[in-house]
Amino acid sequence: MTKVVRTRVEFEGSVSEELALVQGEDAEPWAQGEELVIVGHPQRRVEGIAKVTGRARYTHDLRLPGMLHARMLRSPYPRARVRRVDPSKALALPGVRSVLHRFNAPKAAFRGEETIFREEVRFVGDEVAAVCADSEAIAEEALALISVDYEVLPHVVDLEEAIDEASPRIDEHGNVHDADRHERGDVRKAFKEADAVVEATYRTATQMHNSFETHGAVAVWDGDMLTVHESTQHIFGVRRGLQAALRIPYGRIRVVCDHMGGGFGSKGGVGKYSIVAALFARELGTPVRCVLDRHEENLAAGNRSATLQKVRIAAKGGRINAIAHDSWSNAGQGRWIADPTGPTKSLYDVPNVLTRSYRVLANTGSLAAFRAPGYVEGTFALECAIDELADRIGIDPLALRRLHAASDRDPISGLRYSLKRLVDCYDIGAQEIGWSRRRPKGLRASAPGLRRGLGMASQIWSGGGTPPAYATVHLNPDGTAVVRIGTQDIGTGTRTIVAQICAEALGIAMADVRVEIGDTDSPYAPISAGSLTVASIGPAIRLAAMDARDQLLDVAAGILEVSKAELRVEGGAVVSRGARTPIAKVFEELQNYTVIGKGARLPNSEELVLKTFGAHFAEVEVDPRTGEVVVDRVVAVHDVGRIVNPLTARSQVEGGVIQALGFALSEERVVDRPTGRVMTPGFESYKVPTVKDVPKIVVRFVDAPDTCANNTGTKGLGEPPIIPTAAAVANAVANALGIRVRTLPLTPQRVLDAVEAAPAAKGGEADRRGDRRS
Amino acid sequence: MPRATPVLGPAAVDVTLDVNGHARAIHIRPQRTLLDALREDLGLMGAKKVCDEGTCGACTVLVDGRPVYACMTLAVATAGRAVETVEGLAHDGGLHPVQEAFIAHDAFQCGFCTPGQIMSVVALLRARPDVTADDVKRAVTGNLCRCGAYPNIVAAALAAAKRKK
Ligand code: FES
Ligand code: FES
């Protein structure tokens, strides 16, 4: 039976009401302490061999007979009107098959616009034309032969410049747009009555995803059936995007993503490259590949918005009594922003809060979701401000947080959390890092002249998962199974978790489960983003496997002539009163009998709010003479429900911390203001962490199943570990130096500037020693 | 000993590459990189093109036992030398100890940098079976990993070194 219900869905920090279909009954959740044999135990990645032998096929690796190659011509100007495009010289080049541009391309709806080639190009890298040729090299050569007549228009690329009234207005409605506002309590009164107020401005830089596999697609038509292979976090999203752009029926589009070289949020839907590949492939009657190169990736494939954030925070009676947080995000040409004020609204139980968030347009590439978008930036500002307030009122910053972290209710809705173990995260982390060593003026450094400090920060994020998600489990007569679900593994280990949950619920070995994902011919599963994968698909897979198991037991009861109630499936065999019959044996006489189990994710409870929590602790050493920050150790503690695979979960946290350290210390997109060009389009100038930048990372989980969340007790883990690291590091640096650096990344130059601007802190060595003894 | 490379080109030329112990004859323009020759002409997709400008290490292969960035190496310049790619490591269905260790230690996430990481570690362990964590870090410092699998890469390399001893 299928019912339609309304359900609350949270995605990347925003909550919406959606319709959901309820099919069937849910299973009792796996309880705390329930003996599970596969789930909860470390398991190697099921695609491990494919990945270490080079056999894993990525979109980049696809080569089809007759395949042609498309490349984009991109605007060299940050803002210009495309008056004329003359492709004749390019078309004359041998090997060039076709050129598309705004005067000949069919209409193709893309992100609220009607075309993929704009009349007014709005950032350096905006698509102007596309060439299709026999090879990438020829296509590339042809790009230089397309002549374009541009009328250059005034532009603005920098966030603060764009906010400035005196700068060019690049949008008819202005550059600054309201995005979000939240108010509770009486902030004005609270600030008036405060014992202490800290007011500070924080800035974060634009971070670029730099997924190792760049965005790209290969399109193939077979009659009127389109197949697109795409490196994507959401095959079904790409399918919808192609449907809208090409105006072809949903049923005529198949999207496939086998292995994928990362996405980190940036691969959430169809790209212009996929549409271009599909258009050329249709026109030329042969497969077409369109893959971005590294520099294009860093111009036109998304980024984490730079932010400007002003925080005012007030204490009264030794507690936080009010927070006001205003935030501006550089959306580039994006039509949305990820709200940095999310953590301020929801992380702590504070009575008086006012947040305002603004989207600022600029002539740079659009933002794209980047692993906990908004929350990474916002947590930095909020958690630094809390430390500054704690310093001001002379209380340990962790102790101050504890006063506001224990509430079991979401402060926005007033609803209860399904489970919240933030305080446990504090206890575990404080113990692990040795927080009791912390002194207001830092710790003893490893060498004279250096400064050492401790810092911490908290994390809140969604991760409760959502319907719809469906799975089928086919049990073959030999006792092996195929689980099919339209999710994708972006590198997080989804394949392995699918196999684990299926094997556990069915009662067979993981090695006997084959995982089929990454194909829209499978049942629907949501986007691999928002930390919602495991908690969305896990319950559906479990139900499908249980359904298959139930049918198997029906068959076994008949064949073995034992009542079903006495049977169970264990280790690939049907077991009754000590007798084990392998599944293959049960089916022996039935020959080609196939059991088909199906499962659907049921809606979340309306009465509960599902969140993940965590805390990071950092120990750093700073050289005030060079400005260099060395992170010694990060302790990352997370409360994300049941851990399905401890091996890959730890990797996920380490990866998040490392990406966060890039954000904290070295990663910064630089755009030249006069020309609008990205000066950091490659790894030479854009500094992602290397192996040598990695500190000791200690990963700990509360690992308590959230039995109110869903039948697997799981929540998401993809994003939580990138959220609090930068704030913890910045707080540790402030603890070490006695000086606050409020702009990320904390480059040596910024640290030096801050040291220079605070002469009082220089030569404070004597006081510091005194302090340490106390 | 560097061997003299015959002057080839400018038109497409015939070259024979020794890849994973097999002689492979291809007809390529002299400016073709080893990476493109491997991927486009020989269909060996293990080495990845991530930057194509010598900044990431995803294309790392071995030439006469030494790790090189295949995107910064001309294919014609490797004629007569032994080229090894990740595809050549496993023998008779058995994985190379470094490959085994990468799986056991979960030394990858998306896996896109993995073939390059593995080749750098293989070269290191062949040259010096006795390695420290610092040696490993130095060996893979030119192999970026955006997923941040670094701690496990180091652990895997050390475990493989131990096993080889
Ligand atoms: S692809 Fe060769 S170093 Fe990046
Ligand atoms: S595993 Fe993804 S880049 Fe290294």
Side-chain angles (χ1 to χ4, degrees), chain A residues 414-609:
Chain A
L415 294 173
R416 213 176 280 282
Y417 291 120
S418 58
L419 186 70
K420 177 183 179 185
R421 304 284 295 270
L422 179 56
V423 172
D424 295 288
C425 295
Y426 290 165
D427 293 343
I428 296 168
Q431 172 76 27
E432 192 69 54
I433 196 99
W435 186 258
S436 56
R437 295 176 298 142
R438 187 183 182 276
R439 297 290 173 270
K441 291 189 177 170
L443 313 178
R444 181 179 298 278
S446 67
L450 301 180
R451 306 281 176 81
R452 179 171 280 263
L454 285 179
M456 62 82 57
S458 320
Q459 166 258 316
I460 188 170
W461 181 248
S462 54
T466 164
Y470 310 93
T472 61
V473 170
H474 295 198
L475 180 62
N476 297 313
D478 66 348
T480 62
V482 180
V483 51
R484 215 177 279 279
I485 181 161
T487 185
Q488 45 279 307
D489 190 342
I490 69 173
T492 47
T494 302
R495 273 188 176 81
T496 311
I497 278 171
V498 171
Q500 281 181 277
I501 293 174
C502 176
E504 181 79 52
L506 193 45
I508 65 175
M510 257 179 90
D512 287 332
V513 176
R514 201 153 60 77
V515 178
E516 292 287 347
I517 60 170
D519 188 335
T520 55
D521 282 351
S522 298
Y524 180 89
I527 184 170
S528 297
S531 301
L532 52 71
T533 302
V534 174
S536 301
I537 69 171
I541 295 162
R542 182 170 173 230
L543 288 171
M546 288 173 74
D547 184 17
R549 186 186 60 185
D550 192 60
Q551 295 176 50
L552 165 64
L553 290 180
D554 282 332
V555 175
I559 301 246
L560 303 174
E561 296 176 352
V562 181
S563 104
K564 187 178 168 188
E566 289 174 35
L567 298 174
R568 59 182 201 278
V569 189
E570 212 179 84
V574 177
V575 180
S576 76
R577 288 194 236 107
R580 295 175 61 88
T581 315
I583 294 172
K585 189 93 185 148
V586 173
F587 285 123
E588 203 165 42
E589 286 172 48
L590 290 168
Q591 291 282 339
N592 291 323
Y593 190 81
T594 307
V595 168
I596 304 174
K598 60 188 179 71
R601 170 66 153 85
L602 284 114
N604 295 328
S605 158
E606 290 300 290
E607 273 85 56
L608 296 172
V609 170

Side-chain angles (χ1 to χ4, degrees), chain A residues 30-67:
Chain A
W30 281 320
Q32 169 110 49
E34 186 169 337
E35 191 72 30
L36 302 178
V37 291
I38 296 167
V39 166
H41 301 272
Q43 308 290 350
R44 298 173 176 195
R45 287 180 202 247
V46 294
E47 78 284 15
I49 293 178
K51 281 183 176 170
V52 301
T53 53
R55 282 210 309 270
R57 279 291 164 268
Y58 297 79
T59 303
H60 272 203
D61 301 332
L62 218 66
R63 296 291 179 278
L64 301 174
M67 190 176 83

Side-chain angles (χ1 to χ4, degrees), chain B residues 35 48-59 69-72:
Chain B
L35 181 60
K48 298 286 185 263
K49 186 185 278 190
V50 166
C51 71
D52 207 23
E53 54 184 8
T55 58
C56 76
C59 62
Y69 287 168
C71 72
M72 302 303 283

